[in-house]
Amino acid sequence: MQLGMVGLGRMGQNMVWRLAKAGHEVVVTDTDPKVIEATVAIKSTVATITEDVVKDIKQAMEKTGGKIIPAATPQELVAKLKGPRAVWLMIPAGITDKVANIYAPLLQKGDALIDGGNSYYIDDIRRSKELKAKGIDYLDVGTSGGVWGLLRGYCLMIGGDKAAVERLGPIFKAIAPGQGDTPPTKVRKVTGAEKDAKGHWHAVHGPEVTASGTSADSYLHCGPSGAGHFVKMVHNGMEYGIMAAYAEGLNILKHANVGKAGRTAASAEVTPMREPEHYQYDFDMQAVCENWRRGSVIASWLLDLTAEAFLENSELPVETNSVRDGGVPDSGEGRWTLLAAIDEGVPCPVLTTSLYSRFTSRHEEDFAWKIVQAMRRKFGGH
Amino acid sequence: MQLGMVGLGRMGQNMVWRLAKAGHEVVVTDTDPKVIEATVAIKSTVATITEDVVKDIKQAMEKTGGKIIPAATPQELVAKLKGPRAVWLMIPAGITDKVANIYAPLLQKGDALIDGGNSYYIDDIRRSKELKAKGIDYLDVGTSGGVWGLLRGYCLMIGGDKAAVERLGPIFKAIAPGQGDTPPTKVRKVTGAEKDAKGHWHAVHGPEVTASGTSADSYLHCGPSGAGHFVKMVHNGMEYGIMAAYAEGLNILKHANVGKAGRTAASAEVTPMREPEHYQYDFDMQAVCENWRRGSVIASWLLDLTAEAFLENSELPVETNSVRDGGVPDSGEGRWTLLAAIDEGVPCPVLTTSLYSRFTSRHEEDFAWKIVQAMRRKFGGH
Amino acid sequence: MQLGMVGLGRMGQNMVWRLAKAGHEVVVTDTDPKVIEATVAIKSTVATITEDVVKDIKQAMEKTGGKIIPAATPQELVAKLKGPRAVWLMIPAGITDKVANIYAPLLQKGDALIDGGNSYYIDDIRRSKELKAKGIDYLDVGTSGGVWGLLRGYCLMIGGDKAAVERLGPIFKAIAPGQGDTPPTKVRKVTGAEKDAKGHWHAVHGPEVTASGTSADSYLHCGPSGAGHFVKMVHNGMEYGIMAAYAEGLNILKHANVGKAGRTAASAEVTPMREPEHYQYDFDMQAVCENWRRGSVIASWLLDLTAEAFLENSELPVETNSVRDGGVPDSGEGRWTLLAAIDEGVPCPVLTTSLYSRFTSRHEEDFAWKIVQAMRRKFGGH
Amino acid sequence: MQLGMVGLGRMGQNMVWRLAKAGHEVVVTDTDPKVIEATVAIKSTVATITEDVVKDIKQAMEKTGGKIIPAATPQELVAKLKGPRAVWLMIPAGITDKVANIYAPLLQKGDALIDGGNSYYIDDIRRSKELKAKGIDYLDVGTSGGVWGLLRGYCLMIGGDKAAVERLGPIFKAIAPGQGDTPPTKVRKVTGAEKDAKGHWHAVHGPEVTASGTSADSYLHCGPSGAGHFVKMVHNGMEYGIMAAYAEGLNILKHANVGKAGRTAASAEVTPMREPEHYQYDFDMQAVCENWRRGSVIASWLLDLTAEAFLENSELPVETNSVRDGGVPDSGEGRWTLLAAIDEGVPCPVLTTSLYSRFTSRHEEDFAWKIVQAMRRKFGGH
């Protein structure tokens, strides 16, 4: 199939190459001509990709007939696509409206515009209505996979009209991971429950059933417009929570040697540690994470990455992180997840707390602490 | 009555003066002879007290016959008290065991040892058992009031045997605030409920009843040993939560002008502010607090103090707080409150969160943030 | 002065009576003619007010010349007011737009429309722009005081143009509490800080200063349109947090007798209580609250009310609460406070948690718990 | 090697079979003779294990010479082991002390006692001291793996003296998962950082390095006595947090159709939903989870299990969960994790909140809600 890809940042580039490997013809553009050139030449402008990977892409393209075709302008990109066209925007959420407004007038009835960025689903609802009035399908696609997507594939969460999603199935399938080493879930249906002699309940199992549909290839039509970014939004909200759970637990392990420091002096202000002999452990953080990767209940891909980070440098110096100063950033999804939860009247203390930790890391709580200090000074204590 | 007071820090001194004003004979000691001298001479060694206050104390002592008698050593202090003696320890929690072990051998059957500090109630349970074996009453007294106690009186929460608490009633009454401007609670009993025409429930009221007992004078026998410090512990846990609630809300008001700063740039990392025009307010923090002091639901003494702090200096510079560096301290009670809640299996997310904010202000979360950053670097995003 | 009051629920009625006592002429209307009649006759249709209070209102009206004038329709109400008119809406937030749209066409350039309800401040920004285009002043007024406002006065937080706020000053002053027993905050300015011999920082104090402006009468012009409801919104968010802090702490005290229940059996599932002897306390909740009302750091009006509730009925039976089933309700402000905090990027874990507790009380977390249970069943434990 | 296994619940049985498969000689006992018999006969008394699995165990035992030998009493078990003996307790934490006190006198200098249960690490510190005095090694082993351990292996976290841990290496290796499909982490060392042209920091990478030691087989000597259960404790604390993050996010997805319900009525009490059209999604929970299993950042084993649970029954009826009534249980580790964090002064809001959700599911917050309701009734609102 043909696809126009607008925006050749790391994710855009990787998607183009996955599509080309699978035999699709991808017309590509970007505001930076050098990036267009590099994408066609299969040279990453943002990350290191090995010779082997490049070779693998080129060989696959030869075999499947996949093509990457440069376009200098939106007009050229659209012109190089035969109708019904499909144009995929892979750009920062903040400029989606602007860029969508450039392409919308160039597209025709029956064409499709796809937003693969991190848009707010409420904007999707609005945009899809506007485009539907012109007969253009608008699909919102949440993508997860980060810098690993080239090799691992991108998990896709799609919102919009069913017919358009089905028409573009081969595109989604090429970008998505596919089953790989993870076969579809297979279980026996639970049809009821019964009590055992000890009064415990047990499930009663029926016939075996296997997960069907595209979700086992990790792309999914989630629902009408906005549904893709809604699911992606909550996905990221959960991601923040899971990351914080790992980080908090590892922080407790890291501080398990505080008993050595001797915070035991008598003082009216700070409570002494009652039993410093209980906090004498110097844990090897990498070994602990490595150990949990197999067999434990908390094994996960995020844990794998954490084990890598500790092996790279056991002290995780901030200098080696992507942001040196200013704490942990947050993109919109974590916040929007909370807005949705609050609108729904549904509590999500873990997700909230994990976002607030990021705010706090950026010193946004400082004035509150000053107020607490001021109160303490005024009443003299605590 | 006679009382021995051990420890003449700000609270100890203030209590001595309240007792002397009420006509009691207080034998006082401290490790610092200058402090003993100052206490007898009614000169504060830790705070500014006005001439008027000093004069008021002296006049009252003349009228009531109250006396302050110095004692250079524990032995001297005990010798100057007639049995059944009562010795009140007003010292940092960390050295209570040490000092209690000095006085216990000097006391006799029928005497009472009172711990007015911030001890862990579990230690009270142990200590009271040890002393009971020798026929000595041990009372644990939680005190609240901070630096204002001299004028306002100290709210007292008392644990131990009923007979000993009653015997020392006049001592507690002198230290406690008394009714002052706050008459005992008076309501009509609620004896049932009935539904109105709209299906809303309303209380059915019975006869009028007034709060009785010593609690209306703000000293209370809470229960057996440990009960006093248990109630004080939870009191402080709540105090942390209430302080944090004020601080967080005021922090939101303080940041209500972020729309002016223009955090609106498009970026894949940080979400732009969608509607900066909603955050254009520069609130006068002092005026807002002052305004809430009358009529509003959140009027309180802590709010009064906050209004004072803002009037003193609208920016609450950390330099003028009691602790310049290192964040907000916590004494043991906030932590112990959580330990109790966890043991009880009772959730207390607000109290917990307010304690954790203090930990965070002291940078104890930093390693967790580094882990989150490291994960982000590894998967490339969020 | 003249004022039109639209909406004679409990708060509307009380405001009318406070205004009339102060000598103002209040033209009143409501959708229910009986309520209009009762308001004029000084008979509460929603609460019990004593004979003494009624007498007091009538005597004051006689002395000051205050009047309450009925109006059957919006047209009649507006007609009975001389320009520049002021119409105060005291109605549920959900219908404010509808009712504002009824009055806007009846008003003229120079008139003022006042929204005293719990509107979302973002709606105020919009509404004030629409009305400004017609030369009508729109003021948003957050009010706190609940059912006690008749006697205690309503704390008022006002947003809108300064000139209009000043013109209506006498109206606000009559509704607000005034200084009463709470004189304006008076302190000595903090001009710097100095270190003492022990290395502790102390404030350096300058000249004495007293809080000035209307805030000492507890009405305040907070800023431009929306500022009044913004401050009220955060006020209520804080209120939720403070209420939760009290409730959580008292819940811990209530469960301090769990050691008696003997949750000590060995089991692989639920951890036994390690030291039941530490949880043997049966606290008298009313006495504890009563005790804290004087001298303690956490004394407040909310604590006074809690002491009343326990004295009314020590078990706080749900039947006697305003809502029998369905948990604790929340009006919009608590939610909007969080939305503002999230927009600002400011953490407010205590306020958030207190709102989530209300959601949880309404069973909105149940599906999450089912998922946790399902996971546990699948991996067999924890 | 020889090992004595005490306690043949599901985990004990599975461990025995893994050991026998690997060629070890396991002397087994339990309080229930039928369970001993079944273990020897390779018949599970607690779970369904397929014919294939049983056959696989038997064949492996034939090949490796592994043996399972019954012992009716502690004395018999110890007698059947040659010194230096190793006895592994796999029993509920609540009775560990009791059982340890039975075996300790039967063991001799140079023997080892292993606690594989969920003990509190503080008890390990005490117990190991007592046994060390007799020359007996005490090892504390945290195990994760749940009901899947027979096939997947148990991740082991070990505390105690290094020599004893090394001596028992083959035992741990047989119980642990081994590398399986998860090769040891391999990365290039991060040796520094450099700024790119845009001012972003990037890691500077050095030579490649591979995780070494036993952690890649998923058993780890974590440190001195207590270290194994400390790490396991925090592991479970994190597990609670991760589970809650998934559960909360999925709960938000589940409620994404609340706009259909029409919570839009005007009321002074409950805020109407402002934009119900934003909440019109009926998500297929199984498909969403299935979709995330590949390529997404939050892929994990717990997510795999969740996808299974939804496929079994999309409504997750409580009747099919292991606990029908009384909410979500918690074993001790989640609580102890918080106690450790609080002692360390380290914030862990996510882990705390996830534990509190379990308390709340068991109605432990109800009294707090009654207090909030009572306050609301008293001041009339919110």
Side-chain angles (χ1 to χ4, degrees):
Chain A
M1 281 183 85
Q2 269 194 319
L3 181 81
M5 178 66 74
V6 178
L8 302 170
R10 188 171 346 196
M11 289 180 82
Q13 278 189 332
N14 285 348
M15 287 180 178
V16 167
W17 295 331
R18 282 188 73 86
L19 287 162
K21 278 176 69 177
H24 298 291
E25 185 181 316
V26 201
V27 185
V28 304
T29 195
D30 193 279
T31 51
D32 181 347
K34 280 186 198 150
V35 168
I36 301 176
E37 206 177 314
T39 305
V40 174
I42 309 177
K43 289 185 184 163
S44 176
T45 49
V46 276
T48 314
I49 54 173
T50 64
E51 285 302 303
D52 285 355
V53 170
V54 172
K55 206 167 121 189
D56 176 57
I57 295 170
K58 287 181 176 168
Q59 282 177 346
M61 284 173 69
E62 249 169 66
K63 210 161 83 184
T64 62
K67 281 182 200 152
I68 305 173
I69 298 163
T73 64
Q75 289 73 13
E76 189 183 331
L77 181 134
V78 172
K80 285 184 169 168
L81 295 169
K82 286 179 285 278
R85 293 174 196 81
V87 175
W88 185 301
L89 308 182
M90 204 67 217
I91 55 180
I95 59 170
T96 302
D97 262 328
K98 205 182 93 185
V99 179
N101 287 338
I102 293 170
Y103 282 88
L106 305 175
L107 297 179
Q108 297 176 357
K109 196 174 168 174
D111 289 350
L113 187 66
I114 302 150
D115 176 10
N118 278 329
S119 296
Y120 193 16
Y121 80 97
I122 287 173
D123 292 333
D124 296 322
I125 294 175
R126 174 179 48 78
R127 252 183 242 129
S128 69
K129 272 189 202 151
E130 293 166 6
L131 289 168
K132 181 165 278 177
K134 303 180 186 175
I136 300 169
D137 283 311
Y138 175 85
L139 301 184
D140 54 286
V141 181
T143 61
S144 182
V147 300
W148 295 83
L150 176 57
L151 303 174
R152 237 178 144 230
Y154 293 95
C155 175
L156 301 180
M157 297 146 258
I158 310 164
D161 277 357
K162 198 182 170 194
V165 174
E166 284 179 355
R167 175 160 60 85
L168 292 167
I171 296 294
F172 297 132
K173 184 159 188 168
I175 295 174
Q179 289 191 17
D181 302 332
T182 310
T185 299
K186 184 191 285 188
V187 295
R188 288 171 58 207
K189 273 281 174 202
V190 167
T191 53
E194 55 187 21
K195 237 184 197 167
D196 68 14
K198 290 182 184 170
H200 296 137
W201 286 91
H202 295 280
V204 173
H205 289 274
E208 200 170 74
V209 60
T210 304
S212 61
T214 64
S215 66
D217 284 325
S218 283
Y219 70 96
L220 178 69
H221 179 215
C222 298
S225 280
H229 280 137
F230 193 103
V231 171
K232 175 61 180 358
M233 168 186 86
V234 175
H235 168 281
N236 281 27
M238 292 160 76
E239 180 192 299
Y240 284 22
I242 297 167
M243 289 169 77
Y246 283 115
E248 289 184 3
L250 293 169
N251 195 29
I252 295 171
L253 289 181
K254 181 73 175 178
H255 286 75
N257 62 2
V258 290
K260 294 185 172 178
R263 184 165 54 83
T264 53
S267 146
E269 279 272 311
V270 180
T271 188
M273 174 160 258
R274 288 173 73 85
E275 297 173 292
E277 65 274 18
H278 293 167
Y279 299 95
Q280 299 285 339
Y281 301 114
D282 292 299
F283 292 116
D284 177 338
M285 306 301 284
Q286 202 285 326
V288 166
C289 290
E290 187 72 31
N291 193 50
W292 287 339
R293 294 179 62 218
R294 300 160 207 84
S296 102
V297 170
I298 63 172
S300 73
W301 190 57
L302 279 167
L303 180 65
D304 294 346
L305 297 181
T306 308
E308 289 185 14
F310 277 120
L311 188 59
E312 285 177 357
N313 193 312
S314 59
E315 286 305 311
L316 304 177
V318 172
E319 296 73 25
T320 65
N321 294 329
S322 59
V323 174
R324 190 192 188 101
D325 305 308
V328 186
D330 73 287
S331 54
E333 292 85 0
R335 299 179 181 207
W336 300 332
T337 299
L338 305 199
L339 303 192
I342 292 166
D343 267 358
E344 295 178 3
V346 162
C348 59
V350 160
L351 307 193
T352 304
T353 294
S354 61
L355 180 68
Y356 287 171
S357 279
R358 296 187 176 205
F359 291 173
T360 304
S361 80
R362 304 201 298 261
H363 307 292
E364 302 289 3
E365 200 168 26
D366 288 8
F367 191 73
W369 292 331
K370 287 170 85 171
I371 294 169
V372 170
Q373 286 289 56
M375 284 185 189
R376 292 180 73 251
R377 178 171 59 81
K378 293 301 297 181
F379 70 70
H382 310 314
Chain B
M1 279 184 86
Q2 269 194 320
L3 181 82
M5 178 67 74
V6 178
L8 302 171
R10 186 166 356 192
M11 290 179 81
Q13 277 189 334
N14 286 348
M15 288 180 177
V16 167
W17 295 332
R18 283 187 72 86
L19 288 162
K21 277 175 71 178
H24 298 291
E25 183 180 318
V26 201
V27 185
V28 303
T29 195
D30 193 279
T31 51
D32 182 347
K34 281 185 197 151
V35 168
I36 300 176
E37 205 176 316
T39 305
V40 173
I42 309 177
K43 288 184 185 164
S44 176
T45 48
V46 276
T48 314
I49 54 173
T50 63
E51 285 303 303
D52 284 355
V53 170
V54 171
K55 206 168 122 189
D56 177 56
I57 294 170
K58 287 183 177 167
Q59 283 177 345
M61 285 174 67
E62 249 169 66
K63 210 162 81 183
T64 62
K67 282 183 198 149
I68 306 175
I69 298 163
T73 63
Q75 288 73 11
E76 189 182 332
L77 180 133
V78 172
K80 285 182 170 172
L81 296 169
K82 285 177 284 276
R85 295 174 194 82
V87 175
W88 185 300
L89 308 182
M90 204 66 215
I91 53 179
I95 57 169
T96 302
D97 262 328
K98 204 182 93 185
V99 178
N101 288 337
I102 291 170
Y103 282 88
L106 304 175
L107 297 179
Q108 296 176 358
K109 196 172 167 176
D111 289 350
L113 187 65
I114 301 152
D115 176 11
N118 278 329
S119 297
Y120 194 14
Y121 79 97
I122 287 174
D123 293 333
D124 296 323
I125 294 175
R126 174 178 48 77
R127 253 184 241 128
S128 69
K129 272 190 205 152
E130 293 166 6
L131 289 168
K132 181 165 279 177
K134 304 181 186 173
I136 300 169
D137 282 311
Y138 176 86
L139 301 184
D140 54 285
V141 180
T143 62
S144 183
V147 301
W148 295 82
L150 176 57
L151 302 174
R152 237 178 145 231
Y154 292 94
C155 174
L156 302 180
M157 298 147 256
I158 310 163
D161 278 356
K162 199 181 170 195
V165 175
E166 285 179 353
R167 177 161 58 88
L168 293 167
I171 296 294
F172 296 132
K173 184 159 189 168
I175 295 174
Q179 290 192 17
D181 301 332
T182 310
T185 299
K186 183 190 287 188
V187 295
R188 289 172 56 208
K189 272 283 173 200
V190 168
T191 53
E194 56 188 20
K195 239 183 196 165
D196 68 14
K198 290 185 183 169
H200 296 138
W201 286 91
H202 294 279
V204 173
H205 289 274
E208 201 170 73
V209 60
T210 304
S212 60
T214 64
S215 65
D217 284 324
S218 282
Y219 70 97
L220 178 67
H221 179 215
C222 298
S225 280
H229 280 138
F230 194 103
V231 171
K232 175 61 178 2
M233 168 185 87
V234 174
H235 168 282
N236 281 27
M238 292 160 77
E239 179 192 300
Y240 284 23
I242 296 166
M243 289 170 77
Y246 283 114
E248 289 184 4
L250 293 169
N251 195 30
I252 295 171
L253 289 180
K254 180 74 176 178
H255 286 75
N257 61 1
V258 290
K260 295 185 171 177
R263 185 166 54 83
T264 54
S267 145
E269 280 272 311
V270 179
T271 189
M273 175 160 256
R274 290 173 73 85
E275 298 173 291
E277 65 275 17
H278 293 167
Y279 299 94
Q280 301 284 338
Y281 301 115
D282 292 299
F283 292 116
D284 176 339
M285 306 300 287
Q286 203 284 326
V288 167
C289 291
E290 186 71 31
N291 195 50
W292 287 338
R293 293 179 63 217
R294 298 160 208 83
S296 104
V297 170
I298 62 173
S300 72
W301 190 57
L302 279 166
L303 180 65
D304 293 345
L305 298 181
T306 307
E308 290 185 14
F310 277 119
L311 188 60
E312 286 177 355
N313 193 314
S314 60
E315 286 305 311
L316 302 178
V318 172
E319 295 73 25
T320 65
N321 293 329
S322 58
V323 174
R324 190 194 189 98
D325 306 306
V328 186
D330 72 287
S331 54
E333 292 85 359
R335 301 180 180 206
W336 300 331
T337 300
L338 305 199
L339 303 192
I342 293 166
D343 266 359
E344 295 179 5
V346 163
C348 59
V350 160
L351 307 193
T352 303
T353 293
S354 62
L355 180 68
Y356 286 172
S357 279
R358 296 188 175 204
F359 291 172
T360 304
S361 80
R362 304 200 298 259
H363 307 292
E364 302 289 3
E365 200 168 27
D366 288 7
F367 191 73
W369 292 332
K370 289 170 85 172
I371 293 169
V372 170
Q373 286 289 54
M375 285 185 189
R376 293 179 72 253
R377 179 172 59 81
K378 293 301 296 179
F379 70 69
H382 308 312
Chain C
M1 280 184 85
Q2 270 195 319
L3 181 82
M5 178 67 73
V6 178
L8 302 170
R10 187 169 352 193
M11 288 179 82
Q13 277 189 333
N14 286 348
M15 287 179 177
V16 167
W17 294 331
R18 283 188 72 87
L19 288 162
K21 278 176 70 178
H24 298 290
E25 183 181 318
V26 201
V27 186
V28 304
T29 194
D30 193 280
T31 51
D32 182 347
K34 281 185 197 151
V35 168
I36 300 175
E37 205 178 314
T39 304
V40 173
I42 309 176
K43 289 184 185 164
S44 177
T45 50
V46 276
T48 314
I49 53 172
T50 63
E51 285 303 303
D52 284 354
V53 171
V54 172
K55 205 168 123 189
D56 176 57
I57 295 169
K58 288 182 176 167
Q59 283 179 343
M61 285 174 68
E62 249 169 65
K63 209 162 82 184
T64 62
K67 284 182 198 151
I68 305 174
I69 298 163
T73 64
Q75 287 74 13
E76 189 183 330
L77 180 133
V78 172
K80 286 184 168 168
L81 295 169
K82 287 177 285 275
R85 294 174 195 83
V87 175
W88 185 300
L89 308 183
M90 204 67 217
I91 54 181
I95 59 171
T96 301
D97 262 328
K98 207 182 92 186
V99 178
N101 288 337
I102 292 170
Y103 282 88
L106 305 175
L107 297 178
Q108 296 176 358
K109 196 174 166 174
D111 288 351
L113 187 65
I114 302 151
D115 176 10
N118 278 327
S119 295
Y120 194 16
Y121 79 97
I122 287 173
D123 293 334
D124 296 323
I125 294 175
R126 174 179 48 77
R127 251 183 241 129
S128 69
K129 272 190 202 152
E130 294 166 6
L131 290 168
K132 180 164 280 177
K134 304 179 186 175
I136 300 170
D137 282 311
Y138 175 86
L139 301 183
D140 54 284
V141 181
T143 61
S144 183
V147 300
W148 295 82
L150 176 56
L151 302 175
R152 237 177 145 232
Y154 293 94
C155 174
L156 301 180
M157 297 147 258
I158 309 164
D161 279 356
K162 198 181 169 193
V165 175
E166 284 179 356
R167 176 162 56 88
L168 293 167
I171 296 294
F172 297 131
K173 183 159 189 169
I175 295 174
Q179 290 191 17
D181 301 332
T182 309
T185 298
K186 182 191 286 188
V187 295
R188 288 172 57 208
K189 271 283 174 203
V190 167
T191 54
E194 54 188 21
K195 238 183 196 167
D196 68 14
K198 289 183 183 169
H200 296 137
W201 285 92
H202 294 280
V204 174
H205 290 274
E208 201 170 72
V209 60
T210 304
S212 60
T214 65
S215 64
D217 283 325
S218 283
Y219 70 97
L220 178 68
H221 179 215
C222 298
S225 281
H229 280 137
F230 193 102
V231 172
K232 175 61 180 359
M233 168 185 87
V234 174
H235 168 283
N236 281 27
M238 292 159 76
E239 178 192 300
Y240 284 23
I242 296 167
M243 289 169 77
Y246 283 114
E248 289 184 4
L250 294 169
N251 195 29
I252 295 171
L253 288 181
K254 180 74 174 177
H255 286 74
N257 61 1
V258 290
K260 294 185 171 176
R263 184 166 54 84
T264 53
S267 146
E269 281 271 310
V270 180
T271 190
M273 176 161 255
R274 288 173 74 85
E275 299 174 291
E277 66 274 20
H278 293 166
Y279 299 95
Q280 300 284 338
Y281 300 114
D282 292 299
F283 291 116
D284 176 338
M285 307 300 285
Q286 203 284 327
V288 167
C289 291
E290 187 71 32
N291 194 50
W292 287 338
R293 292 179 64 217
R294 299 160 208 84
S296 103
V297 170
I298 62 173
S300 73
W301 190 56
L302 279 166
L303 180 65
D304 294 345
L305 297 181
T306 308
E308 289 185 15
F310 277 119
L311 187 60
E312 286 177 357
N313 193 313
S314 61
E315 287 305 310
L316 303 177
V318 173
E319 295 74 24
T320 65
N321 294 329
S322 58
V323 174
R324 189 194 188 100
D325 305 308
V328 186
D330 71 287
S331 55
E333 293 85 0
R335 299 179 182 207
W336 300 332
T337 300
L338 305 198
L339 303 192
I342 292 167
D343 266 358
E344 295 179 3
V346 162
C348 58
V350 160
L351 307 193
T352 304
T353 294
S354 61
L355 180 68
Y356 287 172
S357 280
R358 295 186 176 205
F359 291 173
T360 304
S361 80
R362 304 201 299 260
H363 307 294
E364 301 289 2
E365 200 168 26
D366 288 7
F367 191 72
W369 292 331
K370 288 169 84 171
I371 293 169
V372 170
Q373 286 289 55
M375 285 185 189
R376 293 179 72 252
R377 180 172 57 83
K378 293 301 298 180
F379 70 70
H382 309 313
Chain D
M1 280 183 86
Q2 270 194 320
L3 182 81
M5 178 66 74
V6 179
L8 302 170
R10 188 172 345 198
M11 289 181 81
Q13 278 188 333
N14 285 349
M15 287 180 177
V16 167
W17 296 331
R18 282 189 72 88
L19 288 162
K21 277 176 71 178
H24 298 292
E25 185 180 316
V26 201
V27 185
V28 304
T29 195
D30 194 278
T31 51
D32 181 347
K34 281 186 196 152
V35 169
I36 300 176
E37 206 177 314
T39 304
V40 174
I42 310 177
K43 288 184 185 164
S44 176
T45 48
V46 275
T48 315
I49 54 172
T50 64
E51 285 302 304
D52 284 355
V53 170
V54 172
K55 207 167 120 187
D56 177 56
I57 294 170
K58 288 182 175 167
Q59 283 178 345
M61 285 174 67
E62 249 169 64
K63 211 162 81 182
T64 61
K67 282 182 197 150
I68 305 174
I69 298 164
T73 64
Q75 289 73 11
E76 188 183 331
L77 181 133
V78 171
K80 285 183 169 171
L81 295 170
K82 283 179 286 276
R85 294 173 195 83
V87 175
W88 185 300
L89 308 183
M90 204 66 216
I91 54 179
I95 58 169
T96 301
D97 262 328
K98 205 182 94 185
V99 179
N101 288 338
I102 293 171
Y103 281 89
L106 304 176
L107 296 178
Q108 297 176 359
K109 195 174 168 178
D111 289 351
L113 187 66
I114 302 151
D115 175 11
N118 278 329
S119 296
Y120 194 14
Y121 80 96
I122 287 174
D123 293 333
D124 296 323
I125 294 175
R126 175 179 48 77
R127 253 183 241 129
S128 69
K129 271 190 204 151
E130 294 166 6
L131 288 168
K132 180 165 278 178
K134 303 180 186 175
I136 299 169
D137 282 311
Y138 175 85
L139 301 183
D140 54 285
V141 181
T143 62
S144 182
V147 302
W148 295 82
L150 177 57
L151 302 175
R152 237 179 146 229
Y154 292 94
C155 174
L156 302 180
M157 296 147 257
I158 309 164
D161 278 356
K162 199 181 169 194
V165 175
E166 284 180 354
R167 176 160 59 86
L168 293 168
I171 296 295
F172 296 131
K173 184 160 190 169
I175 295 174
Q179 289 191 18
D181 301 333
T182 310
T185 299
K186 184 191 285 188
V187 295
R188 288 172 57 208
K189 272 283 173 200
V190 168
T191 53
E194 56 188 19
K195 239 183 196 166
D196 68 15
K198 290 184 184 169
H200 296 138
W201 286 91
H202 294 280
V204 174
H205 289 273
E208 201 170 72
V209 60
T210 304
S212 60
T214 64
S215 66
D217 284 325
S218 283
Y219 69 96
L220 178 68
H221 179 215
C222 298
S225 281
H229 280 137
F230 193 104
V231 172
K232 176 60 177 5
M233 168 185 87
V234 174
H235 168 282
N236 280 28
M238 292 160 77
E239 179 191 300
Y240 284 22
I242 297 167
M243 289 169 77
Y246 283 114
E248 288 183 4
L250 294 169
N251 194 31
I252 295 170
L253 289 180
K254 181 73 175 178
H255 286 75
N257 61 1
V258 290
K260 295 184 171 177
R263 183 165 56 82
T264 55
S267 145
E269 279 272 311
V270 179
T271 188
M273 174 161 257
R274 288 173 75 84
E275 297 173 291
E277 65 274 17
H278 293 167
Y279 299 94
Q280 299 284 337
Y281 301 115
D282 292 299
F283 292 116
D284 177 338
M285 306 300 285
Q286 202 285 324
V288 167
C289 291
E290 186 72 30
N291 194 50
W292 288 338
R293 293 180 61 218
R294 298 159 208 84
S296 103
V297 170
I298 63 172
S300 73
W301 190 57
L302 279 166
L303 181 64
D304 294 345
L305 298 180
T306 308
E308 290 185 14
F310 277 119
L311 189 58
E312 286 177 356
N313 193 312
S314 60
E315 287 305 312
L316 303 178
V318 172
E319 295 74 26
T320 65
N321 293 329
S322 58
V323 174
R324 191 194 188 101
D325 306 308
V328 186
D330 72 287
S331 53
E333 291 85 0
R335 299 180 181 205
W336 300 331
T337 300
L338 305 198
L339 302 193
I342 293 166
D343 267 358
E344 295 179 4
V346 163
C348 59
V350 160
L351 308 193
T352 303
T353 294
S354 61
L355 180 68
Y356 287 171
S357 280
R358 297 187 175 205
F359 291 172
T360 305
S361 80
R362 304 200 298 260
H363 307 292
E364 302 288 4
E365 200 168 27
D366 288 9
F367 191 73
W369 292 332
K370 289 170 85 172
I371 293 169
V372 170
Q373 287 287 58
M375 285 184 189
R376 294 179 71 252
R377 178 171 60 82
K378 292 303 296 180
F379 70 70
H382 309 312

